[in-house]
Amino acid sequence: MTMNILDYQPVGDKKNSDFFNEYRLKIYQRRISSGLEDLLEGICALVVQVETGEAIAYMQELYLMTPYRFKDAYLNQTHKIYIMEARPEWPSYVVLEAVDSNFSDDLTRLNKLYPLASKKPNARYVGEVFKTSDLDETRNILESHNIRFHYPDETENKFFSNRHFNFTLPSSITGNRIGYMPTDTFDQDTLELGQQILLRGQELETLEKTAEQAEANGTSQLILGVDHMATRILSGEREDAILEFLTLSNYYFWGAYNIADQNSSTNVNRNPKVDNDKFSPAKVFTANNTPSFVNSFENLPMPTEDFVRNYGRRMHHIAYEVQDGDHQAGEKNIDFIVDVLKDNGIPFLAQVVGECTDKPNLKQIFSKHSNYSLLITEYVERCYGFDGFFTKDNVAALTKAAGADERYHHGNIFD
Ligand SMILES: [Fe+2]
């Protein structure tokens, strides 16, 4: 699919400033003139870090809730690196686990600033990795646009200082890094990830048993790849977060919707080079419409800003597409998946939202956040060929559900 991002008219009813509209186009033009547009392909990996000793348990959770399965593990000077894959054409999923439980780097320090994140100081969604046809050239171009990168031996986390791929410093607006690498798979021969390690007998057995459980659940073929990742940020930084991501990527701003009764907006960016988001998932930013202290005049719900104050600016959820269809008469696949996972002990926030009766629409649900990654998992089923990205009603209901859970922490956040 090819589209002209310069001619594209964003959708949605969230108003953007003239500043935003001007720089959105200037950034696209600069990507094209600098060559970045041609260098970058899609997102080829998502990177998540967990606490020491929790990687196997986290992967078990992913076995039940996602299509990702363990492929290889490596050990470098500071981390175990677990590579997971679903289908070759979808991004890999990389789980980082520090060898030393006292490990600390810039992400640890960032987590420690926030009351709920500080309890799991190394658990964090780190960022996405883009495939580039020329790593040095990509870094040179982005550095000339004032983007900062880690160089080997400049970071405590040795995964980010590999000489075959580069990561930016965590964004001060979103807390996310962006990585760039010359292949689309974590290939040891090309990337020298570390010493390959074999899982211990018991670890392997645990994962194999969970794989069998996922098969027996009958959900394995129904949960497809990643549809989008949604980062929560502060109200005043919404436009900057989008423009920063447009600078760092080859994505375009698809559009933004105002979710007035939750005092928030949903801002969607997509890859123009793919016709299926699962090949290079959409990147979403959610922000309050007004900052928390001004919100106190109207006292609207403000789940987004509550989340940021509790956990800091960071990735909030990863959404997986569910194969559309009826598991049995009157039961959509998403309802079946949620029932089975609840039986497996996976908790969800509220109910499936949206109706799929006889016309194109979509159904969605949020899980509770993982105790290992702190990420919420979203499932989305687009019924009868629904070709939109989302509906405002569903986003409002989902945001409200996440907010209801969040408000628990509103009074005494140390509960
Ligand atoms: Fe979402």
Side-chain angles (χ1 to χ4, degrees):
M1 184 177 83
T2 50
M3 61 172 283
N4 188 343
I5 54 173
L6 294 169
D7 292 339
Y8 175 78
Q9 287 299 321
V11 297
D13 59 355
K14 176 69 183 174
K15 213 168 157 24
N16 294 306
S17 69
D18 292 344
F19 160 81
F20 177 83
N21 290 325
E22 179 190 342
Y23 278 92
R24 179 176 64 87
L25 292 174
K26 286 176 86 159
I27 288 167
Y28 294 157
Q29 280 157 349
R30 188 173 63 174
R31 282 182 354 199
I32 295 165
S33 63
S34 67
L36 189 68
E37 196 76 6
D38 289 333
L39 291 173
L40 298 184
E41 292 182 29
I43 290 175
C44 61
L46 308 178
V47 182
V48 176
Q49 183 170 265
V50 296
E51 294 289 326
T52 302
E54 295 192 345
I56 299 292
Y58 181 48
M59 286 196 287
Q60 269 189 282
E61 195 176 85
L62 294 171
Y63 270 48
L64 292 176
M65 298 182 76
T66 80
Y68 284 99
R69 299 293 179 265
F70 170 76
K71 184 169 161 261
D72 287 312
Y74 300 93
L75 173 71
N76 68 19
Q77 294 127 289
T78 59
H79 281 72
K80 287 183 182 168
I81 302 155
Y82 299 90
I83 311 296
M84 301 180 81
E85 275 190 358
R87 294 187 193 172
E89 64 270 28
W90 295 343
S92 334
Y93 202 101
V94 179
V95 178
L96 302 179
E97 181 192 48
V99 175
D100 179 355
S101 60
N102 293 316
F103 174 80
S104 172
D105 70 356
D106 43 10
L107 297 181
T108 322
R109 292 188 283 277
L110 201 50
N111 282 343
K112 282 188 172 172
L113 289 173
Y114 295 93
L116 296 182
S118 65
K119 295 173 178 177
K120 292 263 181 177
N122 277 324
R124 191 177 180 95
Y125 177 91
V126 172
E128 306 87 42
V129 186
F130 281 81
K131 186 187 177 193
T132 173
S133 53
D134 189 329
L135 181 65
D136 291 346
E137 183 64 10
T138 300
R139 197 184 59 235
N140 288 338
I141 292 169
L142 287 172
E143 284 182 334
S144 77
H145 303 161
N146 285 337
I147 302 300
R148 292 188 291 180
F149 283 87
H150 281 299
Y151 276 83
D153 300 322
E154 278 182 1
T155 165
E156 298 101 316
N157 186 330
K158 295 303 171 193
F159 182 75
F160 303 126
S161 57
N162 184 305
R163 64 193 172 102
H164 302 293
F165 50 88
N166 283 125
F167 276 86
T168 64
L169 268 64
S171 158
S172 44
I173 306 170
T174 68
N176 298 329
R177 297 178 190 276
I178 303 285
Y180 302 90
M181 69 179 204
T183 71
D184 52 12
T185 50
F186 277 85
D187 166 20
Q188 166 74 346
D189 290 341
T190 320
L191 301 176
E192 298 180 290
L193 294 159
Q195 173 196 341
Q196 187 163 10
I197 51 173
L198 299 174
L199 297 190
R200 289 200 301 271
Q202 200 192 349
E203 295 172 330
L204 210 51
E205 204 178 302
T206 301
L207 290 182
E208 278 168 4
K209 274 196 178 149
T210 315
E212 283 166 21
Q213 190 185 345
E215 269 324 300
N217 279 344
T219 52
S220 283
Q221 302 307 312
L222 302 178
I223 303 172
L224 304 177
V226 174
D227 183 85
H228 63 272
M229 298 82 66
T231 298
R232 291 194 160 184
I233 50 170
L234 287 175
S235 164
E237 297 169 344
R238 184 186 70 89
E239 291 186 339
D240 287 353
I242 300 166
L243 293 176
E244 182 188 49
F245 187 70
L246 297 181
T247 300
L248 288 160
S249 71
N250 58 356
Y251 275 44
Y252 69 102
F253 173 62
W254 177 77
Y257 283 89
N258 183 21
I259 312 296
D261 70 347
Q262 297 299 311
N263 189 6
S264 73
S265 68
T266 292
N267 303 268
V268 181
N269 304 279
R270 300 171 93 175
N271 188 328
K273 292 189 176 176
V274 301
D275 56 10
N276 179 331
D277 289 309
K278 293 190 294 300
F279 294 160
S280 188
K283 177 109 174 176
V284 175
F285 297 101
T286 308
N288 249 39
N289 288 332
T290 57
S292 52
F293 46 89
V294 172
N295 186 60
S296 57
F297 284 100
E298 282 87 27
N299 272 327
L300 290 169
M302 50 163 206
T304 308
E305 201 112 329
D306 276 343
F307 174 84
V308 177
R309 295 197 305 168
N310 284 336
Y311 290 97
R313 307 160 175 93
R314 61 157 64 206
M315 188 58 68
H316 175 262
H317 66 261
I318 297 183
Y320 290 85
E321 185 176 332
V322 169
Q323 175 72 50
D324 182 36
D326 295 331
H327 180 248
Q328 56 183 11
E331 186 186 36
K332 300 302 292 180
N333 285 339
I334 190 169
D335 298 306
F336 167 68
I337 289 166
V338 170
D339 283 346
V340 167
L341 291 179
K342 280 181 178 167
D343 286 345
N344 286 180
I346 310 276
F348 284 83
L349 296 173
Q351 303 298 314
V352 174
V353 303
E355 286 294 330
C356 287
T357 42
D358 53 358
K359 58 179 194 303
N361 199 0
L362 79 175
K363 296 188 91 163
Q364 288 161 287
I365 192 167
F366 275 162
S367 74
K368 286 209 170 196
H369 72 74
S370 161
N371 283 325
Y372 308 113
S373 65
L374 302 184
L375 292 167
I376 281 173
T377 300
E378 176 188 325
Y379 294 110
V380 49
E381 178 171 351
R382 295 189 174 85
C383 316
Y384 306 107
F386 179 80
D387 67 353
F389 191 73
F390 63 85
T391 65
K392 279 180 70 153
D393 286 350
N394 276 17
V395 175
L398 286 170
T399 309
K400 190 176 175 186
D405 193 53
E406 195 65 28
R407 267 200 300 280
Y408 174 72
H409 308 296
H410 196 90
N412 183 352
I413 47 179
F414 297 101
D415 279 352

